[in-house]
Amino acid sequence: MRKNLLLEYSKELACEIAELCKNYRIDSNSSYQIKKSSSSVFANISEAQYPQSLADMLSKFEIARKECMETESWLELIFSSGSIDESIFKKYRNLCGRIRRMLTSSCITMENKLNKN
């Protein structure tokens, strides 16, 4: 059985952002905010694994998608401040983009199913 890639990628993002904040000089507010948003991506995708309904799952995925965008915004701010180099920035921005695209595709599928009912 194949693992849930979305859950796996979101866990990777949350863990690696936490590690990033430990290893680089990132101001405390930015560190707190990016750890909060990246862990929220993982938490909402995790919660969506056992939804009360398709609408509940869609809601969790939409929240995760917004939190993923917030994580990308914090990454951009941290990069612009000179706290991380371009290769680190691109690595995590690309991971966020992959997660966001998967969430968007899943949301479209769920919205289509909900609209048929």
Side-chain angles (χ1 to χ4, degrees), residues 12-87:
E12 177 185 345
L13 178 67
C15 290
E16 292 202 18
I17 290 295
E19 198 63 30
L20 177 85
C21 291
K22 282 186 205 172
N23 296 328
Y24 290 84
R25 291 183 179 250
I26 300 170
D27 73 87
S28 61
N29 182 58
S30 295
S31 178
Y32 170 77
Q33 294 292 345
I34 196 169
K35 285 190 290 186
K36 185 177 169 211
S37 62
S38 64
S39 62
S40 181
V41 174
F42 174 68
N44 278 286
I45 292 170
S46 294
E47 283 186 49
Q49 301 307 298
Y50 298 96
Q52 295 173 348
S53 64
L54 188 59
D56 180 49
M57 185 178 200
L58 175 60
S59 175
K60 299 291 188 234
F61 274 23
E62 287 174 333
I63 292 167
R65 187 171 52 177
K66 290 190 320 187
E67 294 291 338
C68 196
M69 192 66 234
E70 181 180 342
T71 300
E72 284 185 66
S73 297
W74 284 110
L75 276 169
E76 191 172 324
L77 185 65
I78 291 166
F79 170 64
S80 295
S81 73
S83 297
I84 58 174
D85 64 32
E86 188 173 9
S87 65

